[in-house]
């Protein structure tokens, strides 16, 4: 279901979607059995300022290690305010 969503998502958007201009961070669980790892090149049409954090976790990485997840988000937002 997730793979189909990611594959079909671009088809459902307008022909020329406006990219997100705000900084975006994608946090991805490398051991996620449901969603394949996305590359920066695949994400570029949707956002111009993207950073990735690949964690050695599964699909529910925010539940698996909430302290680590919160630290990553806090660091990301802190860098935006610096």
């Amino acid at each position: 279901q997730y793979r189909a969503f990611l594959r079909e998502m671009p088809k459902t958007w307008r022909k020329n979607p406006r990219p997100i201009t705000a900084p975006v961070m994608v946090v991805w669980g490398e051991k996620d059995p449901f969603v394949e790892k996305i590359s920066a090149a695949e994400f570029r049409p949707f956002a111009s300022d993207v950073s990735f954090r690949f964690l050695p976790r599964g699909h529910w990485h925010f539940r698996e290690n909430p302290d680590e997840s919160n630290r990553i988000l806090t660091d990301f937002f802190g860098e935006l305010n610096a």
Side-chain angles (χ1 to χ4, degrees), residues 4-42:
F5 170 75
L6 291 173
R7 185 178 56 248
E8 299 297 322
M9 183 177 59
K11 295 177 188 176
T12 62
W13 287 24
R14 299 183 319 222
K15 291 287 183 188
N16 296 311
R18 289 180 291 172
I20 299 167
T21 57
V24 174
M25 180 177 57
V26 176
V27 181
W28 208 282
E30 291 180 325
K31 297 178 182 178
D32 190 330
F34 304 109
V35 183
E36 295 173 5
K37 196 178 201 180
I38 192 169
S39 72
E42 292 173 288

Side-chain angles (χ1 to χ4, degrees), residues 34-55:
F34 304 109
V35 183
E36 295 173 5
K37 196 178 201 180
I38 192 169
S39 72
E42 292 173 288
F43 208 87
R44 290 283 178 238
F46 306 107
S48 57
D49 184 5
V50 182
S51 60
F52 289 85
R53 288 295 306 266
F54 296 104
L55 306 178

